[in-house]
Coordinates of all heavy atoms in Angstrom, one line a residue:
L276 N 14.4 0.4 -3.8 CA 15.2 0.8 -5.0 C 16.3 1.9 -4.5 O 16.0 2.9 -3.9 CB 14.3 1.4 -6.0 CG 13.3 0.5 -6.7 CD1 12.0 1.2 -7.0 CD2 13.9 -0.1 -7.9
R277 N 17.5 1.6 -4.9 CA 18.6 2.5 -4.6 C 19.3 2.8 -5.9 O 20.1 2.1 -6.4 CB 19.6 1.9 -3.6 CG 20.4 2.9 -2.8 CD 21.5 3.5 -3.6 NE 22.4 4.4 -2.9 CZ 23.5 5.0 -3.3 NH1 23.8 4.8 -4.6 NH2 24.2 5.8 -2.6
G278 N 19.0 4.0 -6.4 CA 19.6 4.4 -7.7 C 20.9 5.2 -7.4 O 21.3 5.5 -6.3
G279 N 21.6 5.4 -8.5 CA 22.9 6.1 -8.4 C 22.8 7.6 -8.1 O 21.7 8.2 -8.4
S280 N 23.8 8.1 -7.4 CA 23.7 9.6 -7.1 C 23.6 10.5 -8.3 O 23.0 11.6 -8.2 CB 25.0 9.9 -6.2 OG 26.2 9.7 -7.0
E281 N 24.1 10.0 -9.4 CA 24.1 10.8 -10.6 C 22.7 11.0 -11.2 O 22.4 11.9 -12.0 CB 25.0 10.2 -11.7 CG 24.6 8.9 -12.3 CD 25.0 7.7 -11.4 OE1 25.5 7.9 -10.3 OE2 24.8 6.6 -11.9
A282 N 21.7 10.1 -10.7 CA 20.3 10.2 -11.2 C 19.4 10.6 -10.1 O 18.2 10.3 -10.2 CB 20.0 8.9 -11.9
I283 N 19.8 11.1 -9.0 CA 19.0 11.3 -7.8 C 17.8 12.2 -8.1 O 16.6 11.8 -7.7 CB 19.8 12.0 -6.7 CG1 19.0 12.0 -5.4 CG2 20.4 13.3 -7.1 CD1 18.6 10.7 -4.8
H284 N 17.9 13.2 -8.9 CA 16.7 14.1 -9.2 C 15.7 13.3 -10.1 O 14.5 13.4 -9.8 CB 17.1 15.4 -9.9 CG 18.0 16.3 -9.1 ND1 19.4 16.2 -9.1 CD2 17.7 17.2 -8.1 CE1 19.9 17.1 -8.3 NE2 18.9 17.7 -7.6
S285 N 16.2 12.6 -11.1 CA 15.3 11.9 -11.9 C 14.6 10.8 -11.2 O 13.4 10.6 -11.3 CB 16.1 11.3 -13.1 OG 16.8 12.2 -13.8
N286 N 15.3 10.0 -10.3 CA 14.8 8.9 -9.6 C 13.7 9.4 -8.6 O 12.7 8.7 -8.5 CB 15.9 8.2 -8.9 CG 16.8 7.4 -9.8 OD1 16.4 7.1 -10.9 ND2 18.0 7.1 -9.3
Q287 N 14.0 10.5 -7.9 CA 13.0 11.0 -7.0 C 11.7 11.5 -7.7 O 10.6 11.3 -7.2 CB 13.6 12.1 -6.1 CG 14.7 11.7 -5.2 CD 14.2 10.6 -4.2 OE1 13.1 10.7 -3.7 NE2 15.1 9.6 -3.9
A288 N 11.9 12.0 -8.9 CA 10.7 12.5 -9.6 C 9.9 11.3 -10.1 O 8.6 11.3 -10.0 CB 11.1 13.3 -10.8
I289 N 10.5 10.2 -10.5 CA 9.8 9.0 -10.9 C 9.1 8.4 -9.7 O 8.0 7.9 -9.7 CB 10.7 8.0 -11.6 CG1 11.2 8.6 -12.9 CG2 10.0 6.7 -11.8 CD1 12.4 7.8 -13.5
A290 N 9.9 8.4 -8.5 CA 9.3 7.9 -7.3 C 8.0 8.6 -6.9 O 7.1 8.0 -6.4 CB 10.3 8.0 -6.2
Q291 N 8.0 9.9 -7.1 CA 6.8 10.7 -6.8 C 5.6 10.2 -7.7 O 4.5 10.1 -7.2 CB 7.0 12.1 -7.1 CG 7.9 12.8 -6.0 CD 7.3 12.7 -4.6 OE1 6.1 13.0 -4.4 NE2 8.2 12.4 -3.7
C292 N 5.9 9.8 -8.9 CA 4.8 9.3 -9.8 C 4.3 8.0 -9.3 O 3.1 7.7 -9.3 CB 5.3 9.1 -11.2 SG 5.8 10.6 -12.1
I293 N 5.2 7.1 -8.8 CA 4.9 5.8 -8.3 C 4.1 6.0 -7.0 O 3.0 5.3 -6.9 CB 6.2 5.0 -8.0 CG1 6.9 4.7 -9.3 CG2 5.8 3.7 -7.2 CD1 8.3 4.1 -9.1
Q294 N 4.5 6.8 -6.1 CA 3.8 7.0 -4.9 C 2.4 7.6 -5.1 O 1.4 7.1 -4.5 CB 4.5 8.0 -3.9 CG 5.9 7.4 -3.4 CD 5.6 6.2 -2.5 OE1 4.9 6.3 -1.5 NE2 6.2 5.1 -2.8
S295 N 2.3 8.5 -6.1 CA 1.0 9.1 -6.4 C 0.1 8.0 -7.0 O -1.1 8.0 -6.6 CB 1.2 10.2 -7.4 OG 0.0 10.8 -7.8
G296 N 0.6 7.1 -7.8 CA -0.2 6.1 -8.3 C -0.7 5.1 -7.3 O -1.8 4.7 -7.3
L297 N 0.2 4.7 -6.4 CA -0.2 3.8 -5.3 C -1.2 4.3 -4.4 O -2.1 3.6 -3.9 CB 1.1 3.4 -4.5 CG 2.1 2.4 -5.2 CD1 3.3 2.2 -4.4 CD2 1.4 1.1 -5.5
K298 N -1.1 5.6 -4.1 CA -2.1 6.3 -3.2 C -3.5 6.2 -3.8 O -4.5 6.3 -3.0 CB -1.7 7.7 -2.9 CG -0.5 7.8 -2.0 CD -0.1 9.3 -1.9 CE 1.2 9.4 -1.0 NZ 1.7 10.8 -0.9
Q299 N -3.7 6.0 -5.1 CA -5.0 6.0 -5.7 C -5.5 4.6 -5.7 O -6.6 4.3 -6.3 CB -4.9 6.5 -7.1 CG -4.5 8.0 -7.2 CD -4.3 8.5 -8.6 OE1 -5.2 8.3 -9.5 NE2 -3.2 9.1 -8.9
T300 N -4.8 3.6 -5.1 CA -5.3 2.2 -5.0 C -5.3 1.8 -3.6 O -5.1 2.5 -2.7 CB -4.3 1.3 -5.8 OG1 -3.1 1.2 -5.1 CG2 -4.0 1.9 -7.2
D301 N -5.7 0.5 -3.4 CA -5.7 -0.1 -2.1 C -4.4 -0.8 -1.7 O -4.3 -1.4 -0.6 CB -6.8 -1.2 -2.0 CG -8.2 -0.5 -2.1 OD1 -8.4 0.6 -1.7 OD2 -9.1 -1.2 -2.7
L302 N -3.4 -0.6 -2.5 CA -2.1 -1.2 -2.2 C -1.2 -0.3 -1.3 O -1.4 0.9 -1.3 CB -1.3 -1.5 -3.5 CG -2.0 -2.4 -4.5 CD1 -1.1 -2.6 -5.7 CD2 -2.3 -3.8 -3.8
P303 N -0.4 -0.9 -0.4 CA 0.4 0.0 0.5 C 1.5 0.8 -0.3 O 2.1 0.3 -1.2 CB 1.1 -1.1 1.4 CG 1.1 -2.3 0.6 CD -0.1 -2.3 -0.2
V304 N 1.6 2.1 0.1 CA 2.6 2.9 -0.6 C 4.0 2.4 -0.3 O 5.0 2.7 -1.0 CB 2.5 4.4 -0.2 CG1 1.2 4.9 -0.7 CG2 2.6 4.6 1.3
E305 N 4.2 1.7 0.8 CA 5.5 1.1 1.2 C 5.9 -0.1 0.3 O 7.0 -0.6 0.5 CB 5.5 0.7 2.7 CG 5.3 1.8 3.7 CD 3.8 2.1 3.9 OE1 3.0 1.3 3.4 OE2 3.5 3.1 4.5
A306 N 5.0 -0.5 -0.6 CA 5.3 -1.6 -1.5 C 6.5 -1.3 -2.4 O 7.3 -2.1 -2.8 CB 4.1 -2.0 -2.3
I307 N 6.7 0.0 -2.7 CA 7.8 0.5 -3.6 C 8.4 1.7 -2.9 O 7.8 2.7 -2.8 CB 7.3 0.8 -5.0 CG1 6.6 -0.4 -5.6 CG2 8.4 1.3 -5.8 CD1 5.8 0.0 -6.9
Q308 N 9.6 1.5 -2.4 CA 10.3 2.6 -1.7 C 11.6 2.9 -2.5 O 12.4 2.0 -2.8 CB 10.6 2.2 -0.3 CG 9.3 1.9 0.5 CD 9.7 1.5 1.9 OE1 9.7 2.3 2.9 NE2 9.9 0.2 2.1
V309 N 11.9 4.2 -2.7 CA 13.1 4.6 -3.3 C 14.0 5.3 -2.2 O 13.5 6.2 -1.6 CB 12.8 5.6 -4.5 CG1 14.1 6.1 -5.1 CG2 12.0 4.9 -5.5
V310 N 15.2 4.8 -2.1 CA 16.1 5.3 -1.1 C 16.4 6.8 -1.4 O 16.8 7.1 -2.5 CB 17.4 4.5 -1.0 CG1 18.4 5.1 0.0 CG2 17.1 3.1 -0.6
E311 N 16.2 7.7 -0.4 CA 16.4 9.1 -0.7 C 17.8 9.6 -0.5 O 18.1 10.7 -0.9 CB 15.4 9.9 0.2 CG 13.9 9.6 -0.1 CD 13.0 10.3 0.9 OE1 13.5 11.0 1.8 OE2 11.8 10.2 0.7
T312 N 18.6 8.9 0.1 CA 20.0 9.3 0.4 C 20.9 8.9 -0.7 O 20.8 7.8 -1.3 CB 20.5 8.9 1.8 OG1 21.9 9.3 1.9 CG2 20.5 7.3 1.9
T313 N 22.0 9.7 -1.0 CA 23.0 9.3 -1.9 C 24.2 8.7 -1.2 O 25.2 8.3 -1.8 CB 23.5 10.4 -2.8 OG1 24.0 11.5 -1.9 CG2 22.3 11.0 -3.6
D314 N 24.1 8.6 0.1 CA 25.2 8.0 0.9 C 25.4 6.6 0.5 O 24.5 5.7 0.6 CB 24.9 8.1 2.4 CG 26.0 7.8 3.3 OD1 26.9 7.0 3.0 OD2 26.1 8.4 4.4
R315 N 26.7 6.2 0.2 CA 27.0 4.9 -0.3 C 26.8 3.8 0.8 O 26.7 2.6 0.5 CB 28.4 4.8 -0.8 CG 28.6 5.5 -2.1 CD 29.9 5.2 -2.8 NE 30.0 5.8 -4.1 CZ 31.1 5.5 -4.9 NH1 32.0 4.7 -4.5 NH2 31.1 6.1 -6.1
A316 N 26.8 4.3 2.1 CA 26.6 3.4 3.2 C 25.2 2.7 3.1 O 25.1 1.6 3.6 CB 26.8 4.1 4.5
A317 N 24.3 3.3 2.4 CA 23.0 2.7 2.3 C 23.0 1.4 1.5 O 22.3 0.5 1.8 CB 22.0 3.7 1.6
V318 N 23.9 1.4 0.5 CA 24.1 0.1 -0.2 C 24.6 -1.0 0.6 O 24.1 -2.1 0.6 CB 25.1 0.3 -1.4 CG1 25.3 -1.0 -2.1 CG2 24.5 1.3 -2.4
G319 N 25.6 -0.7 1.5 CA 26.1 -1.7 2.4 C 25.1 -2.2 3.3 O 25.1 -3.4 3.7
E320 N 24.2 -1.4 3.8 CA 23.1 -1.8 4.7 C 22.1 -2.7 3.9 O 21.7 -3.7 4.4 CB 22.4 -0.6 5.3 CG 23.2 0.2 6.3 CD 23.6 -0.6 7.5 OE1 22.8 -1.5 7.9 OE2 24.8 -0.4 8.0
L321 N 21.7 -2.2 2.7 CA 20.7 -2.9 2.0 C 21.1 -4.4 1.7 O 20.2 -5.3 1.7 CB 20.4 -2.2 0.7 CG 19.3 -2.7 -0.2 CD1 18.0 -2.7 0.5 CD2 19.2 -1.8 -1.5
I322 N 22.4 -4.6 1.4 CA 22.8 -5.9 1.0 C 23.1 -6.8 2.1 O 23.5 -8.0 2.0 CB 24.0 -5.9 0.0 CG1 25.2 -5.3 0.7 CG2 23.6 -5.1 -1.2 CD1 26.5 -5.2 -0.2

């Protein structure tokens, strides 16, 4: 998941909830990853 730079704090907080939830199960935490950088180059790489 790569959210917009304008929502970076909100997205990272939600990501923490997701990671915390996954850690309490047998599923890999890497199943849901939120890109931590606001660098637009990340979009170019992802696509």
Side-chain angles (χ1 to χ4, degrees):
L276 296 143
R277 201 283 184 179
S280 59
E281 67 276 9
I283 185 65
H284 296 95
S285 305
N286 290 337
Q287 291 302 321
I289 296 169
Q291 289 298 316
C292 295
I293 293 169
Q294 293 294 305
S295 178
L297 288 173
K298 287 175 183 177
Q299 298 175 52
T300 71
D301 293 329
L302 300 182
V304 293
E305 297 83 9
I307 302 167
Q308 300 178 92
V309 178
V310 176
E311 295 180 356
T312 178
T313 59
D314 192 325
R315 290 192 174 187
V318 174
E320 292 297 326
L321 183 58
I322 65 177

